[in-house]
Amino acid sequence: MGAPAGDLSTRDRVTQLLLECRAATAAQLGDALGLSPAAVRRHLDAMLADGDVVAREQTVRGHRGRGRPAKVFLLTDAARSRCGTHHYDNMATAALRWIARTGGSRAVEEFAAEQVAALEARCQAALAGAGDDPMARAEALAAALTAEGYAASASTIASGGQLCQHHCPVAHVAAEFPQLCEAETTVISRLVGTHVQRLATIAHGDGVCTTHIPGPPPAQSGKTVTTVRTDR
């Protein structure tokens, strides 16, 4: 039985949002669409039944409150393919496979570095007035990446900070060629001005690309600390 036209319209909007942000809860989709979570779940249930979305438990880092974590919804590869998003991905994957066969992994790394070089130059210009503080630079970088289509954000956490990218234009390709993620991480490190660590990537199946920015080491008190062995 076909869905009513109104349902198809809302379903198309849900699909478009999941294309843009990759993963979202029913509440997040409802906020974006101006609908209640229950109304959105009706469409998500239909999309689950049709094999257009999959549901996963939301990853919660740090302390988690009581209750089960909310479910996040992602488009399946079949649904993304019908939207035409994999056409160029498949071509890029085929090209990288050819590069790997003819030039080896080193050639793939060089290609990945060259691909992010232009992005680095544009972001570097956007960070011109950000100063030297890594978190200030991360916030400016998040704004620059958002303008590039990465839907990025930066936040301060207990151990320093983190840069989150909610969209990855090359996720489907990077799933097979992680050199793309590695080249991007190197660029983030240079732009922020300190060592960073990738904790999660969309290409690896996570909902968000998360990069940890370590905070400064704790200030030394100047007191001499004597260590006493107790294992004798």
Side-chain angles (χ1 to χ4, degrees):
M1 180 183 298
D7 285 352
L8 287 175
S9 175
T10 301
R11 183 161 168 167
D12 287 344
R13 293 166 66 198
V14 170
T15 298
Q16 184 59 41
L17 281 172
L18 290 177
L19 278 172
E20 294 172 358
C21 65
R22 183 167 176 89
T25 64
Q28 290 168 339
L29 291 169
D31 288 343
L33 295 172
L35 299 172
S36 69
V40 173
R41 286 193 192 97
R42 180 165 60 87
H43 297 285
L44 290 170
D45 287 343
M47 295 173 76
L48 281 165
D50 290 343
D52 287 343
V53 298
V54 292
R56 297 178 181 169
E57 284 195 352
Q58 187 176 34
T59 300
V60 178
R61 304 189 184 280
H63 177 72
R64 191 178 78 189
R66 294 182 178 181
R68 297 183 61 184
K71 289 189 178 297
V72 294
F73 296 87
L74 304 87
L75 291 178
T76 61
D77 283 347
R80 293 174 69 87
S81 181
R82 285 199 300 275
C83 296
T85 58
H86 283 346
H87 176 72
Y88 293 109
D89 284 353
N90 291 337
M91 184 180 296
T93 302
L96 279 168
R97 287 172 182 164
W98 183 88
I99 291 173
R101 285 197 307 270
T102 58
S105 60
R106 179 60 181 170
V108 175
E109 292 170 7
E110 291 175 355
F111 173 84
E114 184 172 316
Q115 287 301 298
V116 297
L119 174 66
E120 180 177 9
R122 292 194 298 272
C123 290
Q124 185 68 62
L127 268 62
D132 297 328
D133 178 66
M135 276 311 301
R137 294 184 68 80
E139 291 173 0
L141 177 57
L145 288 173
T146 295
E148 295 282 342
Y150 287 81
S153 61
S155 58
T156 301
I157 58 176
S159 58
Q162 65 182 19
L163 178 72
C164 294
Q165 295 155 253
H166 300 270
H167 176 64
C168 176
V170 296
H172 189 247
V173 184
E176 183 171 343
F177 294 97
Q179 294 94 328
L180 294 170
C181 294
E182 292 163 6
E184 186 178 274
T185 303
T186 299
V187 164
I188 291 173
S189 178
R190 284 200 295 260
L191 290 171
V192 172
T194 188
H195 168 73
V196 301
Q197 180 183 13
R198 267 281 164 86
L199 302 180
T201 63
I202 293 171
H204 190 259
D206 300 297
V208 179
C209 292
T210 305
T211 304
H212 180 243
I213 305 166
Q220 298 297 319
S221 64
K223 296 180 180 179
T224 301
V225 178
T226 302
T227 302
V228 179
R229 292 187 64 179
T230 60
D231 57 346
R232 294 179 180 176

